[in-house]
Amino acid sequence: MRDLSTQFTDKMLRKLLTQLEDAFIEDFNGYSIHSRYEEDQCEAIDSIVKYYGLHDLEWEEYGFFFQLMELNPDYRDENKQIKVPKLGMYDVYYNSEERLWVTYTYKHRVYGYGEDMVRDQLNNSEDFSYYDGQIVNESVDDSEVVDGSIVDVQEVKNRW
């Protein structure tokens, strides 16, 4: 992944912001944080940054341009320095609620008089609890995602 924060001069960033603002006003009636990463918004960015030699942006790289617009609402004021988004590393925590269909194999050590007798003895015993045995095999046969969401994002402070 490229660190786009080092790719542009201040003058280039001001020009880029102007072009982005013009494209977003023309195509979407302005920029909205609620539409980030929608395909047509990414295509608008692609159509502009190709003139800066950037092609085939990675998904994360679009974030640089969205963040650039959000950090610099007053970019036309030449007295204000352009705030450049910084690339960071983040841990993302995601909760996934799932229903699992699992097959467990339990091992029990019992006394008896032959395999068929033990099988019948245990199948007819009210005292036999299969789950009291030792799990020796576990196989997820199927699953269904019920719900999922990002629960936390934390910046990794010390990457090295």
Side-chain angles (χ1 to χ4, degrees):
M1 162 177 290
R2 298 173 279 203
D3 182 357
L4 297 178
S5 66
T6 62
Q7 301 288 317
F8 302 95
T9 65
D10 192 69
K11 186 176 180 177
M12 291 170 72
L13 288 172
R14 285 187 197 281
K15 178 71 173 163
L16 180 61
L17 283 163
T18 300
Q19 292 170 317
L20 288 169
E21 182 179 52
D22 291 347
F24 277 85
I25 287 173
E26 181 178 324
D27 295 343
F28 312 109
N29 202 24
Y31 171 72
S32 169
I33 64 170
H34 304 293
S35 302
R36 288 187 215 148
Y37 290 99
E38 289 184 3
E39 185 175 344
D40 53 350
Q41 302 240 337
C42 293
E43 288 172 358
I45 291 172
D46 286 335
S47 70
I48 294 167
V49 300
K50 68 183 178 185
Y51 297 109
Y52 294 86
L54 295 175
H55 303 280
D56 301 320
L57 291 179
E58 297 289 329
W59 192 243
E60 298 85 355
E61 292 173 325
Y62 288 105
F64 173 82
F65 299 101
F66 292 128
Q67 186 73 352
L68 181 67
M69 289 186 284
E70 293 169 24
L71 288 174
N72 297 286
D74 300 329
Y75 72 93
R76 291 183 189 272
D77 183 350
E78 294 287 333
N79 295 322
K80 292 194 177 185
Q81 186 173 0
I82 296 293
K83 296 175 188 146
V84 181
K86 300 296 178 206
L87 180 65
M89 182 182 291
Y90 299 85
D91 289 331
V92 177
Y93 297 88
Y94 189 92
N95 277 355
S96 176
E97 296 177 27
E98 301 179 17
R99 280 195 187 106
L100 300 177
W101 286 265
V102 183
T103 301
Y104 296 102
T105 303
Y106 294 88
K107 175 183 170 184
H108 296 266
R109 184 157 288 160
V110 298
Y111 292 100
Y113 293 95
E115 292 174 9
D116 287 338
M117 288 301 213
V118 168
R119 187 179 315 275
D120 288 343
Q121 168 190 333
L122 295 179
N123 280 335
N124 291 298
S125 172
E126 291 181 14
D127 294 329
F128 176 67
S129 299
Y130 69 89
Y131 48 82
D132 286 338
Q134 175 187 1
I135 297 175
V136 293
N137 189 31
E138 178 178 338
S139 172
V140 176
D141 302 317
D142 198 5
S143 66
E144 174 187 358
V145 176
V146 178
D147 193 18
S149 63
I150 295 174
V151 293
D152 195 16
V153 177
Q154 297 176 357
E155 185 173 7
V156 177
K157 297 293 182 187
N158 296 325
R159 296 191 310 186
W160 321 114

